[in-house]
């Protein structure tokens, strides 16, 4: 049953002794997993409350609690941004609602971030780099998963097999993803600590800077490209490139020429994961949404391939004696990393 912001405020009062909400509003979150609200109390202090919709979402919040406890004061002091603090919890049935001390700052849409200029893009790149520089012991001490590069690829292959069994994935997308996963050179990278759920709603901004990173439910050691997948949804490729450039400048010893390509593939494959999850939950809305977006992606890729083929034919038709026109070697890479539709976040 969906809870109203007022009901979430009542749960927050039970979770934090002495909390007396005087105002409440809804807050952006992953709607399939959480109900959220932003509260203000009688002292003017703000709080955020998150209630899981189902057992899997509840487990993610329990994981986040482990993660936030693993951030010692020394580790927090090294970060260029703030991270949340759990102020209290309350159990209702089998699920536990969490209340966080609110961090000042506000979220922006992806389009707003892209329009924010080069310095904001660099802020985001540096923030992602700071996450990837976190010590791996943070993950091990929180008893969270750590995957080597080949394990990441194998997990993707297993997920692809699972998605294929649904019979609902367009065949051209299955072939595309299978081909990418069989390209072993694409999956040679150095695993790092990754946030696992970075996107615009988990970045808080103040005065043009990233002041806080939230949503630490999927911390692990894995593919750093996963924290760039959300950027594939922007139509402004310059913005994504500037974020990546700042990231590379902050981690000069972590060169990875295929990072953005794997990020784009992760964003695409999220559609298949969304489909599988919708089927598991019996959610017709999720299923139809995934089918629609996969159909759109398939059509867009086919149109781009046709445009590249037409361009090649034009090049071949140059008059004899003219200097041959060489196709741009970046054409295939651009096709593989072109902007995607907004992707649901499993």
């Amino acid at each position: 049953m969906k809870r109203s912001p007022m009901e979430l405020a009542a749960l927050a009062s039970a979770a934090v002794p002495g909390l007396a909400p005087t105002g409440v509003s809804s807050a952006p979150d992953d709607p399939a997993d959480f109900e959220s609200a932003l509260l203000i109390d009688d002292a003017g202090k703000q709080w955020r409350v998150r209630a899981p919709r189902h057992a899997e979402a509840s487990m993610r919040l329990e994981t986040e609690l482990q993660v936030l406890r693993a951030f010692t004061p020394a580790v927090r002091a090294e970060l260029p941004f703030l991270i949340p603090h759990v102020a209290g919890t309350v159990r209702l049935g089998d699920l536990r609602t969490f209340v966080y001390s609110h961090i000042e700052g506000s979220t922006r849409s992806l389009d707003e971030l892209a329009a924010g200029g080069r310095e904001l893009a660099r802020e985001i790149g540096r923030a992602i780099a700071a996450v990837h520089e976190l010590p791996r012991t943070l993950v091990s001490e929180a008893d969270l998963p750590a995957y080597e590069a080949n394990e990441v690829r194998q997990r993707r292959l297993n997920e692809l097999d699972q998605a294929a069994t649904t019979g609902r994935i367009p065949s051209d997308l299955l072939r595309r993803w299978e081909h990418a996963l069989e390209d072993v050179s694409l999956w040679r990278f150095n695993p790092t600590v990754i946030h696992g759920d970075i996107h615009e709603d988990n970045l808080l901004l103040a005065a043009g800077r990233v002041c806080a990173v939230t949503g630490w439910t999927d911390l692990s050691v894995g593919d750093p490209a996963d924290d760039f997948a959300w950027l594939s949804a922007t139509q402004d490729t310059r913005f994504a490139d500037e974020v990546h450039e700042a990231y590379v400048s902050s981690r000069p010893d972590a060169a990875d020429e295929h990072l953005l390509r794997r990020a784009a593939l992760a964003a695409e494959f999220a559609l298949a994961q969304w489909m599988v999850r919708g089927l598991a939950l019996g959610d017709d809305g999720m299923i139809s949404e995934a089918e629609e977006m996969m159909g759109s992606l398939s059509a867009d890729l086919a149109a781009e391939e046709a445009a590249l083929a037409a361009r090649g034919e034009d090049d071949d038709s140059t008059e004899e004696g003219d200097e041959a026109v060489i196709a741009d070697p970046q054409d295939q890479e651009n096709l593989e990393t072109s902007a995607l539709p907004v992707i649901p976040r499993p």
Side-chain angles (χ1 to χ4, degrees):
M1 181 181 67
K2 185 176 181 179
R3 299 182 182 89
S4 69
M6 289 298 295
E7 290 173 313
L8 293 175
L11 287 173
S13 298
V16 181
L19 173 58
T22 59
V24 59
S25 62
S26 59
D29 214 323
D30 299 331
D33 291 336
F34 306 109
E35 295 165 333
S36 294
L38 187 63
L39 316 178
I40 186 169
D41 66 15
D42 53 0
K45 185 176 180 180
Q46 291 184 306
W47 310 78
R48 188 184 186 199
V49 54
R50 299 183 85 191
R53 288 180 175 272
H54 48 77
E56 181 185 346
S58 182
M59 289 178 62
R60 290 179 63 195
L61 290 184
E62 298 288 350
T63 298
E64 183 177 45
L65 180 61
Q66 287 179 257
V67 171
L68 296 179
R69 285 174 173 170
F71 278 97
T72 64
V75 172
R76 288 174 181 256
E78 291 294 321
L79 292 171
F81 48 76
L82 299 174
I83 62 174
H85 169 72
V86 176
T89 67
V90 62
R91 186 173 294 280
L92 189 64
D94 294 331
L95 308 179
R96 197 154 55 138
T97 294
F98 287 68
V99 180
Y100 304 80
S101 297
H102 181 65
I103 301 173
E104 292 297 332
S106 58
T107 60
R108 300 284 189 275
S109 70
L110 183 54
D111 287 342
E112 289 171 332
L113 291 178
R118 180 179 177 83
E119 187 50 42
L120 179 56
R122 293 185 64 81
E123 272 284 310
I124 295 170
R126 288 190 289 262
I128 297 174
V131 173
H132 294 180
E133 289 292 333
L134 286 167
R136 292 180 63 150
T137 53
L138 186 74
V139 172
S140 60
E141 289 173 0
D143 199 26
L144 296 173
Y147 303 105
E148 296 304 318
N150 190 57
E151 291 176 312
V152 171
R153 187 174 76 94
Q154 188 59 55
R155 291 181 75 238
R156 288 275 196 273
L157 282 167
N158 293 341
E159 291 171 345
L160 181 61
D161 288 343
Q162 182 183 13
T165 62
T166 68
R168 295 173 179 259
I169 312 298
S171 59
D172 57 332
L173 294 184
L174 284 174
R175 288 193 301 270
R176 173 182 172 84
W177 296 334
E178 184 177 29
H179 175 74
L181 288 166
E182 289 175 347
D183 183 358
V184 177
S185 64
L186 185 65
W187 301 91
R188 294 190 181 117
F189 62 86
N190 293 321
T192 67
V193 174
I194 61 173
H195 180 281
D197 194 30
I198 285 185
H199 55 79
E200 60 272 23
D201 290 342
N202 283 334
L203 298 175
L204 295 183
L205 307 181
R209 300 194 60 186
V210 177
C211 64
V213 177
T214 61
W216 296 85
T217 58
D218 296 294
L219 190 78
S220 68
V221 171
D223 186 355
D226 287 357
D227 282 343
F228 287 83
W230 65 291
L231 293 172
S232 297
T234 180
Q235 299 298 316
D236 188 345
T237 56
R238 174 190 53 81
F239 169 68
D241 288 342
E242 288 175 347
V243 172
H244 181 243
E245 177 186 320
Y247 171 84
V248 172
S249 296
S250 299
R251 304 190 71 227
D253 297 330
D256 182 349
E257 62 178 316
H258 297 303
L259 185 145
L260 288 182
R261 184 180 172 195
R262 292 199 312 279
L265 288 166
E268 291 179 15
F269 194 60
L271 299 178
Q273 293 170 315
W274 194 247
M275 167 66 74
V276 170
R277 190 172 182 200
L279 289 168
L281 295 174
D283 189 320
D284 292 338
M286 290 173 64
I287 295 168
S288 61
E289 185 179 35
E291 287 181 327
E292 180 180 351
M293 286 191 290
M294 282 191 291
S296 176
L297 174 60
S298 180
D300 288 346
L301 291 172
E304 291 187 34
E305 288 175 348
L308 288 177
R311 179 175 172 176
E313 291 174 1
D314 289 343
D315 292 343
D316 291 340
S317 66
T318 55
E319 294 182 5
E320 185 178 356
D322 286 348
E323 182 178 355
V325 178
I326 300 174
D328 186 343
Q330 290 297 314
D331 279 346
Q332 185 61 31
E333 186 74 9
N334 291 340
L335 175 59
E336 290 162 344
T337 58
S338 56
L340 301 169
V342 176
I343 308 272
R345 298 178 182 100

